[in-house]
Amino acid sequence: MAAPPELFAARGTPGEVETSLRFQPKFDADGLIPAIVTDATSGEVLMFAWMNAEALAATIETRVAHFWSRSRAKLWKKGEDSGNTLSVVEARVDCDQDVLWLKVDVAGAGVACHTGARSCFYRTLPLGSKPTPNLPLQRA
Amino acid sequence: MAAPPELFAARGTPGEVETSLRFQPKFDADGLIPAIVTDATSGEVLMFAWMNAEALAATIETRVAHFWSRSRAKLWKKGEDSGNTLSVVEARVDCDQDVLWLKVDVAGAGVACHTGARSCFYRTLPLGSKPTPNLPLQRA
């Protein structure tokens, strides 16, 4: 899906997207771009969510992370109810300009996951054996 | 898309997915799950890619990251050509079990991006002003 022309540049050639210093974000067929959120201090991955153009523009302008809630189909200022808003310290884009990385400070209780965990990634997978349908996870 | 029943468990209720210690990965309509890759030592986000069930199973069994190449439509052992394979030190899954996080050691030249950069995320976005189609990036 093309970016709204009043907000973001159209996509250039693959080479231009990789090397230029012009922001040309790619939104997928649903109009979304994925965002990885890490803790600006610890580096821990806190969460992963999707942005539409409006959420991305609001994030850039306000320095507070906004996403598109796919389940509720609405713009979502993360932490608007819980108080755990995400202040964006740095935002990066990848080589293909189709993924974002936000380094954030978590306000309030410092909790990024809706389960109450600091990070959504609170379980590890076993490594080194063939997967079965009974693969056990461990608390991180 | 349902996981291959010989490899991974079927999805439980939302509550079970969040709290249980049984791995129940969710693959999207294209049969893919996103994976965030960070450097096990520095914590830096190196890349972001997609796995199908086969790639995820190979990653778990071999501890070497495999993905599904959407552009080439094939299983992709990252670094198979460049030598920059990714040894998985730890793998985590998020609350909804629809996103993976791999902490890796990069072999070879230590380069994760096809552009030759260590990380795919080598450019930062400006923050604090209203987006325009001429938004400039900076080298990180």
Side-chain angles (χ1 to χ4, degrees):
Chain A
M1 189 177 286
E6 71 283 9
L7 290 179
F8 301 112
R11 302 273 290 175
T13 63
E16 192 189 1
V17 165
E18 279 178 9
T19 59
S20 91
L21 295 178
R22 190 177 187 196
F23 188 43
Q24 304 158 56
K26 181 177 179 180
F27 297 92
D28 70 11
D30 295 322
L32 303 175
I33 185 168
I36 300 160
V37 179
T38 65
D39 185 295
T41 304
S42 70
E44 184 180 26
V45 179
L46 296 175
M47 59 176 286
F48 172 88
W50 297 83
M51 294 180 171
N52 64 357
E54 183 187 5
L56 176 54
T59 300
I60 291 171
E61 188 169 353
T62 66
R63 299 172 190 257
V64 176
H66 291 68
F67 303 101
W68 175 255
S69 170
R70 295 187 300 174
S71 57
R72 291 175 292 152
K74 58 174 281 203
L75 184 70
W76 168 39
K77 178 183 172 185
K78 172 79 177 92
E80 61 193 343
D81 296 325
S82 67
N84 297 309
T85 52
L86 305 178
S87 295
V88 181
V89 175
E90 186 179 290
R92 296 194 184 192
V93 67
D94 80 333
C95 48
D96 299 327
Q97 299 206 35
D98 60 2
V99 183
L100 301 168
W101 169 18
L102 308 180
K103 301 182 186 181
V104 307
D105 289 331
V106 186
V111 162
C113 183
H114 76 284
T115 63
R118 192 181 49 183
S119 161
C120 294
F121 295 85
Y122 48 81
R123 290 169 295 187
T124 61
L125 276 65
L127 294 172
S129 56
K130 197 170 172 60
T132 75
N134 291 306
L135 209 62
L137 301 172
Q138 287 200 309
R139 293 263 157 205
Chain B
M1 189 178 286
E6 72 283 10
L7 290 178
F8 301 112
R11 302 271 291 176
T13 63
E16 192 190 359
V17 166
E18 279 178 9
T19 59
S20 91
L21 294 178
R22 189 177 188 198
F23 188 42
Q24 304 157 56
K26 180 176 179 180
F27 297 92
D28 69 12
D30 296 320
L32 302 176
I33 186 168
I36 300 160
V37 179
T38 65
D39 185 293
T41 304
S42 71
E44 184 181 24
V45 179
L46 296 176
M47 58 177 287
F48 172 89
W50 297 84
M51 293 180 171
N52 64 357
E54 184 188 5
L56 176 55
T59 300
I60 291 170
E61 188 169 355
T62 66
R63 301 173 190 256
V64 176
H66 292 67
F67 302 101
W68 174 255
S69 169
R70 295 187 299 174
S71 56
R72 292 175 292 153
K74 59 176 279 204
L75 184 69
W76 167 39
K77 178 183 171 185
K78 173 80 177 89
E80 60 193 344
D81 296 324
S82 67
N84 297 310
T85 52
L86 306 178
S87 294
V88 182
V89 175
E90 186 178 290
R92 296 194 183 191
V93 66
D94 80 333
C95 47
D96 300 326
Q97 298 206 36
D98 61 2
V99 183
L100 301 168
W101 169 18
L102 309 181
K103 301 182 188 183
V104 306
D105 289 330
V106 187
V111 161
C113 183
H114 76 284
T115 63
R118 191 181 51 183
S119 161
C120 294
F121 295 85
Y122 48 79
R123 289 168 295 186
T124 61
L125 276 65
L127 295 171
S129 55
K130 196 169 173 62
T132 75
N134 291 306
L135 210 62
L137 302 172
Q138 286 199 308
R139 293 264 155 202

